[in-house]
Amino acid sequence: DEYWGEKPNVDTITFRPVMENGSRIAMLQTGEADFIYPMPTEQVKKLEKSDDVEIMKGFSTITRYVTLNTNKDIFSNKKVRQAIWEAIDMDRIIENLALPKAEKLYTHMSPYLKEFYKNGLEKNYPYNPETAKELLKEAGYSNLSFTLTTISENTFENDLALFIKEDLSKIGVNVSINPIPWGQYLPEVYKGHKYEAALLRVAGYPDPQRILQRYKTNYSSNMGNYSNKKVDELLLEATETYDTQRKIEIYKEIQKLLNEDIASVYLMDQGVAVALSSKYTGYKTYPFAFIDVSTIKLKKINK
């Protein structure tokens, strides 16, 4: 009652984590839930036709990519990493997975962060399976096989893995998908780096330093074990300078280096969709993992 700002319209909120996508959708349709965040992408088109639900779409700063463990011999070779990148047809994936507001990525930064985003990198690794085959041949691999680890609870991620597997099979690469629960993925893959290749969804932040510091040598979240002395120096300089324009130049240079080195195979910023019961209005989407219920209002019903 004594809050300093404008009072919200909602007095009580109950947050309930429900892991299974089908259960969340059912709860929304029966009125047991009023809001879903995030909305399962495979259900967006279906629920858009419902008069009882409003689907809101927005941009995100969430980066999704394939991280390749460069401690493994096969991925220490840049030509192999490039072949994998150029063999993945992201246009086909985005179209078939019906993503709300997806943007193809070429570095570890969302174009939503316009001030810091490095443009012009998209021309470097176009979809070209024939070039990918030649790169593998030059690298000395004719029958390449590896395991792609995913989080078993993430339906979208495992659908994405199937598309990647299909694309890579066209250049003679055999991918085995290894879905494991998050409770196992976190200590073994994310922290322990015990994997060959892994699909990763990294929560977005409006801070480029927080995004890019994961490529610092020996940093705990540096899953691909990437190391570049120049990147380390630039990350340090960015923390020490008060010159905003210089910071922007630094972060763009880091993105250029990550792209040149193929530090990871960057896929997309998939956007975000949320579902709200049509009884309510006023919700605003944000480009990062933030839920603001203060603007939600119950619609007035005309009698």
Side-chain angles (χ1 to χ4, degrees):
D1 290 338
E2 297 179 4
Y3 178 59
W4 63 270
E6 183 179 348
K7 294 182 71 172
N9 294 275
V10 178
D11 293 325
T12 303
I13 306 147
T14 301
F15 287 101
R16 187 184 303 175
V18 178
M19 296 299 294
E20 212 284 312
N21 285 340
S23 298
R24 287 192 284 154
I25 297 298
M27 290 168 67
L28 184 71
Q29 291 175 320
T30 61
E32 186 180 352
D34 296 307
F35 176 78
I36 295 179
Y37 178 96
M39 178 67 195
T41 53
E42 66 272 16
Q43 296 283 354
V44 169
K45 281 190 173 181
K46 178 181 177 182
L47 286 189
E48 277 181 327
K49 301 173 184 177
S50 172
D51 294 331
D52 299 321
V53 176
E54 182 181 359
I55 304 292
M56 286 151 289
K57 304 172 185 177
F59 293 104
S60 75
T61 54
I62 296 171
T63 305
R64 194 175 286 276
Y65 59 96
V66 178
T67 181
L68 305 171
N69 193 340
T70 55
N71 280 354
K72 306 294 182 182
D73 287 343
I74 55 172
F75 297 131
S76 64
N77 190 318
K78 181 182 172 180
K79 287 184 177 181
V80 173
R81 301 197 301 273
Q82 184 176 344
I84 290 171
W85 196 336
E86 295 199 24
I88 298 174
D89 187 353
M90 282 309 303
D91 288 326
R92 179 180 82 104
I93 291 173
I94 289 172
E95 180 181 355
N96 282 277
L97 289 180
L99 299 174
K101 281 186 180 289
E103 290 277 350
K104 289 190 288 184
L105 294 183
Y106 303 91
T107 185
H108 197 128
M109 182 77 72
S110 166
Y112 187 86
L113 298 174
K114 296 177 183 178
E115 187 177 21
F116 300 102
Y117 183 71
K118 174 66 176 174
N119 287 297
L121 299 176
E122 60 277 1
K123 63 182 182 296
N124 292 348
Y125 310 111
Y127 170 62
N128 193 328
E130 293 307 314
T131 300
K133 290 177 185 177
E134 287 300 314
L135 286 165
L136 286 179
K137 188 176 179 181
E138 291 171 16
Y141 289 95
S142 56
N143 294 298
L144 181 63
S145 298
F146 67 86
T147 299
L148 178 62
T149 302
T150 63
I151 299 168
S152 59
E153 298 95 334
N154 193 314
T155 303
F156 173 82
E157 190 169 279
N158 285 285
D159 289 344
L160 175 58
L162 289 172
F163 277 97
I164 292 172
K165 176 183 174 71
E166 185 177 340
D167 281 346
L168 293 184
S169 69
K170 296 173 184 176
I171 64 166
V173 175
N174 179 49
V175 177
S176 299
I177 301 172
N178 177 36
I180 61 176
W182 172 246
Q184 180 183 349
Y185 187 104
L186 179 61
E188 292 185 8
V189 180
Y190 190 78
K191 294 183 177 180
H193 304 175
K194 296 176 182 177
Y195 72 98
E196 289 186 304
L199 259 180
L200 202 61
R201 173 189 180 273
V202 177
Y205 306 101
D207 176 7
Q209 180 72 25
R210 192 172 179 186
I211 292 170
L212 296 174
Q213 68 183 359
R214 65 177 52 247
Y215 293 97
K216 181 180 178 181
T217 301
N218 296 325
Y219 187 70
S220 60
S221 296
N222 185 344
M223 278 184 60
N225 301 301
Y226 174 77
S227 181
N228 183 319
K229 184 179 178 181
K230 181 63 175 176
V231 170
D232 293 343
E233 292 171 351
L234 288 168
L235 285 168
L236 179 60
E237 183 185 349
T239 65
E240 295 177 340
T241 181
Y242 290 97
D243 185 336
T244 302
Q245 188 54 45
R246 178 56 187 150
K247 281 183 183 286
I248 291 171
E249 292 170 0
I250 288 171
Y251 293 132
K252 288 185 176 181
E253 177 64 18
I254 291 173
Q255 292 172 71
K256 182 173 178 288
L257 290 170
L258 296 179
N259 179 276
E260 288 176 356
D261 291 344
I262 310 182
S264 294
V265 175
Y266 302 103
L267 302 176
M268 61 180 147
D269 172 345
Q270 71 183 67
V272 64
V274 300
L276 182 68
S277 166
S278 57
K279 296 184 296 183
Y280 298 91
T281 186
Y283 182 76
K284 297 178 182 178
T285 60
Y286 289 83
F288 38 88
F290 178 68
I291 301 174
D292 181 8
V293 296
S294 68
T295 60
I296 295 178
K297 298 179 182 178
L298 187 63
K299 285 181 180 178
K300 292 181 180 179
I301 300 174
N302 296 320
K303 294 183 179 180

